[in-house]
Amino acid sequence: MGVKRQQGSADQGDLLDEALKAALRHGVTGEGGTGPGTTEEPQAPTAWDHERALTQHLMEAVIGSANLNLAYKRVKANDGAPGVDGMTVKALLGWIAVNREALIASLLDGSYKPQPVRGVSIPKPGGGERQLGIPTVVDRLVQQAITQVLEPILDPTFSASSFGFRAGRSAHDALRQARGYVADGYEIVVDLDLEKFFDRVNHDILMSRLARRIGDKRLLRIVRRFLQAGMMLNGVCNERHEGTPQGGPMSPLLANLLLDDLDKELERRGHRFCRYADDCNIYVRSQAAGERVMASVTAFLEGKLRLKVNQKKSAVAPVGERQFLGHRLGKRGGLGIGRRSLDRAKDRLRDITRRNRGISLGQMVAEVNRFVVGWVAYYRDAQCRSTLGELDGWLRRKLRCVRLKQCKGAATVAAFLRENGVRERPARQLASSGKGWWRLSLSEQAKRAMPNDWFHALGLVSLVDRFVALNPVGNRRGT
């Protein structure tokens, strides 16, 4: 992008280094403290003012050439749909070539104004819809550039029990920590579900948390404008007074910033917990303790952070009765695939293997493989070999059903069976039976014509084989 360094401005790397040191000196609260859960007397105003002053020129770091170039590369890599202006990611570089200096100037003087986001609804795995907000590609570039500057300052102060949207942390890390708590005897879980979290974030509360740590008023002003940018739905721009819609690069970091208050409160109370984005599980030893924690944490969330706990979806229960990140935790920390997750996987495979799709079996197998490889990798730590074996058999039956239907007529079915090792009479009997394709797919003739080796030659990935390959020594057994 060739963005020139602003004459007379501080070096962007030095700005970030000093701001990060200041954040770490403040600890996790921004008001003193030396580590997670630590509470100390506030520092003298002069010390606080000095450290906050180190973040008063972050916009110079935002518009730094290296930072903007990296932001562009990430926006390009993520691709995504256009926003309300219709500009594609491919067109962004040409726009930058013409408007670079004006963009930088508006960021430096704080006059940059985001455009409305394009509202899009997508189905949620558990039912209902999730509202996404797609910013324009230029706004995505600016959000990404701001996020890259804020993240090194804010993220190191976040809780060690926060795992979502953080570099070097994953759902598997969260599950590993949760399993440790259960293995230690904390077998009752307080499963908190925040109702429409991303739609209900209070702007004033969020901005106050950001202003605790960031002194650059230009940056704060632009972040608030991003929060308040309207949402375009069906051609109508709706004002937004709360929420940080999913879809923008900045939303995950801001969500973690707000919920960091919850993390620090749980740490202050000495609780064992894992949080992944807005999915938070707290582990206790008894039902009575869990009920007390549920009541007090609900009061904290709704009173201090103005967030709504979904009472219908939240619960205090033995860990085996709840799901966390798609998994089911058992006693002593065992891990299995959650029932709802398995059902959703089968729904996805049903959709891929629909018999009326009008695509070749090879194309269908390729789509199945793309899904299976990622899905098994996610559940690689679960004790699920027998479950995967059952799913393998069910999937092969679905594909046998598809292949038989593709034969269409009875004569073609009989010919296909004969070509694949079935004798004449059994082949004609099956072809003329008049039974439905699903029932025919379970017949001995269908199994003989399309055994496991036939699917292997076709290139179908076996879930069990994939699982074993990911666990060459360890977790091969279990349900």
Side-chain angles (χ1 to χ4, degrees), residues 161 163 170-189 272-275 281-284 319-320 322-337 377-384 467 471 474-478:
S161 294
F163 296 91
S170 68
H172 295 103
D173 296 322
L175 288 163
R176 193 173 300 114
Q177 182 166 300
R179 294 173 71 182
Y181 293 148
V182 175
D184 288 341
Y186 294 83
E187 296 182 352
I188 302 295
V189 61
R272 292 157 177 81
F273 71 98
C274 297
R275 183 177 65 79
N281 277 6
I282 307 167
Y283 299 90
V284 296
V319 291
R322 307 293 293 180
Q323 280 192 190
F324 182 48
L325 301 176
H327 291 71
R328 173 181 51 80
L329 276 77
K331 291 186 176 182
R332 295 179 295 281
L335 202 63
I337 301 175
Y378 182 73
Y379 290 100
R380 63 182 181 266
D381 293 331
Q383 296 172 334
C384 59
F467 178 74
N471 296 272
N475 191 16
R476 296 189 180 189
R477 300 178 58 190

Side-chain angles (χ1 to χ4, degrees), residues 31 43 85 101 175 226 265 416:
E31 300 174 347
Q43 294 178 331
D85 62 355
E101 298 302 330
L175 288 163
F226 274 117
E265 178 65 15
F416 169 75

Side-chain angles (χ1 to χ4, degrees), residues 62-196:
V62 171
I63 60 91
S65 177
N67 189 59
L68 285 177
N69 285 336
L70 179 58
Y72 169 74
K73 290 177 182 178
R74 288 182 174 172
V75 170
K76 182 181 178 182
N78 292 333
D79 201 6
V84 295
D85 62 355
M87 183 189 296
T88 63
V89 172
K90 289 183 179 179
L92 179 59
L93 187 59
W95 184 95
I96 292 170
V98 176
N99 298 280
R100 179 190 62 198
E101 298 302 330
L103 173 63
I104 290 173
S106 66
L107 291 171
L108 284 174
D109 64 21
S111 64
Y112 182 85
K113 292 184 179 180
Q115 296 190 59
V117 298
R118 181 165 68 88
V120 176
S121 295
I122 61 172
K124 295 173 67 175
E129 292 187 335
R130 175 177 286 114
Q131 184 71 57
L132 299 183
I134 302 176
T136 65
V137 291
V138 175
D139 285 341
R140 297 209 288 269
L141 174 73
V142 174
Q143 283 197 36
Q144 183 63 46
I146 291 174
T147 300
Q148 289 167 183
V149 170
L150 291 180
E151 195 167 53
I153 298 170
L154 300 178
D155 189 85
T157 71
F158 291 160
S159 169
S161 294
S162 167
F163 296 91
F165 308 127
R166 299 183 65 189
R169 289 170 168 262
S170 68
H172 295 103
D173 296 322
L175 288 163
R176 193 173 300 114
Q177 182 166 300
R179 294 173 71 182
Y181 293 148
V182 175
D184 288 341
Y186 294 83
E187 296 182 352
I188 302 295
V189 61
V190 180
D191 187 356
L192 287 165
D193 184 274
L194 297 177
E195 188 174 295
K196 297 183 178 179

Side-chain angles (χ1 to χ4, degrees), residues 155-412:
D155 189 85
T157 71
F158 291 160
S159 169
S161 294
S162 167
F163 296 91
F165 308 127
R166 299 183 65 189
R169 289 170 168 262
S170 68
H172 295 103
D173 296 322
L175 288 163
R176 193 173 300 114
Q177 182 166 300
R179 294 173 71 182
Y181 293 148
V182 175
D184 288 341
Y186 294 83
E187 296 182 352
I188 302 295
V189 61
V190 180
D191 187 356
L192 287 165
D193 184 274
L194 297 177
E195 188 174 295
K196 297 183 178 179
F197 167 71
F198 284 93
D199 297 333
R200 294 184 182 274
V201 170
N202 184 288
H203 291 172
D204 291 336
I205 294 176
L206 175 57
M207 289 306 302
S208 72
R209 271 47 178 182
L210 187 60
R212 285 177 183 173
R213 311 181 190 185
I214 303 301
D216 193 323
K217 293 183 179 179
R218 298 164 300 175
L219 190 148
L220 293 173
R221 190 181 305 120
I222 290 175
V223 170
R224 182 178 277 275
R225 285 176 185 162
F226 274 117
L227 292 173
Q228 295 178 334
M231 180 175 287
M232 190 73 74
L233 289 168
N234 301 318
V236 178
C237 186
N238 301 288
E239 292 184 359
R240 290 192 296 120
H241 302 288
E242 62 180 4
T244 171
Q246 298 177 76
M250 206 159 47
S251 291
L253 179 63
L254 295 180
N256 273 335
L257 174 62
L258 181 64
L259 289 174
D260 191 55
D261 272 23
L262 170 63
D263 298 340
K264 297 310 184 294
E265 178 65 15
L266 294 176
E267 288 177 344
R268 186 186 67 80
R269 300 179 185 185
H271 288 310
R272 292 157 177 81
F273 71 98
C274 297
R275 183 177 65 79
Y276 193 94
D278 58 334
D279 194 351
C280 183
N281 277 6
I282 307 167
Y283 299 90
V284 296
R285 290 187 182 275
S286 70
Q287 184 75 20
E291 298 290 351
R292 290 194 299 271
V293 170
M294 175 67 83
S296 62
V297 173
T298 298
F300 176 84
L301 286 166
E302 297 185 347
K304 187 168 183 179
L305 299 184
R306 300 292 190 269
L307 298 171
K308 179 69 174 175
V309 174
N310 189 325
Q311 298 295 337
K312 291 183 179 180
K313 294 185 177 180
S314 300
V316 178
V319 291
E321 296 179 9
R322 307 293 293 180
Q323 280 192 190
F324 182 48
L325 301 176
H327 291 71
R328 173 181 51 80
L329 276 77
K331 291 186 176 182
R332 295 179 295 281
L335 202 63
I337 301 175
R339 173 50 58 185
R340 294 195 305 275
S341 300
L342 186 60
D343 290 344
R344 287 197 295 269
K346 294 184 76 171
D347 287 343
R348 177 68 182 125
L349 290 170
R350 283 190 187 97
D351 186 59
I352 294 173
T353 58
R354 281 185 291 111
R355 299 193 294 273
N356 61 352
R357 291 191 63 198
I359 64 173
S360 70
L361 190 63
Q363 288 176 290
M364 192 173 287
V365 166
E367 289 186 30
V368 167
N369 288 346
R370 282 195 292 272
F371 172 77
V372 162
V373 167
W375 190 79
V376 173
Y378 182 73
Y379 290 100
R380 63 182 181 266
D381 293 331
Q383 296 172 334
C384 59
R385 182 170 178 174
S386 62
T387 299
L388 296 181
E390 293 173 5
L391 193 56
D392 262 335
W394 175 84
L395 179 57
R396 286 192 294 267
R397 183 180 177 187
K398 293 284 292 181
L399 292 171
R400 289 189 186 104
C401 188
V402 171
R403 184 63 187 90
L404 289 173
K405 185 177 185 297
Q406 288 178 343
C407 293
K408 297 182 179 179
T412 315

